[in-house]
Amino acid sequence: MKAKKNQKQVSIQEYIETYCQEKRVRERYAVYVSPETHENLKKIVRLFSYEHHTTTSSLVDTIIARHVEAYRDILNEEYREHNRRFIEDLENMGRKDEPESFEDEDSGE
């Protein structure tokens, strides 16, 4: 089977070194995935679990860690921008030009 055009070409050895190494995940948190994704994860783990001690937790942990590593700059930029907007919104909440309370619609105030 041919790889897709936009798929990065790596050797099986590079793939194993990157994604299939034993990694103990001591503190765990639930992450919910679709049934299709879970099935694919189980299939990948079955391919490498015996020889490389790959687990679903270690595979998912590595995939997410690699994603963050690959996109760290753009994620940090977006995080800073989001926090900047959030702080500006908080600062604007205390301005005098905004009403300090809700007015009664029937009173005409």
Side-chain angles (χ1 to χ4, degrees), residues 90-107:
L90 284 177
E91 290 170 349
N92 289 335
M93 289 176 73
R95 292 201 173 159
K96 292 290 182 193
D97 54 352
E98 293 183 10
E100 293 182 9
S101 62
F102 293 98
E103 296 180 17
D104 186 353
E105 292 180 17
D106 294 333
S107 69

Side-chain angles (χ1 to χ4, degrees), residues 40-75:
N40 286 332
L41 285 168
K42 288 187 335 185
K43 288 176 186 176
I44 294 168
V45 167
R46 269 188 248 128
L47 287 173
F48 301 106
S49 63
Y50 179 72
E51 189 173 341
H52 302 286
H53 309 288
T54 306
T55 64
T56 303
S57 294
S58 66
L59 180 61
V60 169
D61 194 79
T62 302
I63 289 169
I64 294 171
R66 295 287 297 209
H67 175 83
V68 170
E69 181 182 313
Y71 297 100
R72 182 177 313 281
D73 292 343
I74 194 168
L75 292 170

Side-chain angles (χ1 to χ4, degrees), residues 10-26:
V10 296
S11 70
I12 189 66
Q13 190 58 38
E14 289 173 308
Y15 183 87
I16 290 169
E17 288 172 6
T18 302
Y19 295 103
C20 301
Q21 298 303 311
E22 182 177 11
K23 183 176 187 177
R24 302 224 186 257
V25 180
R26 300 201 188 283

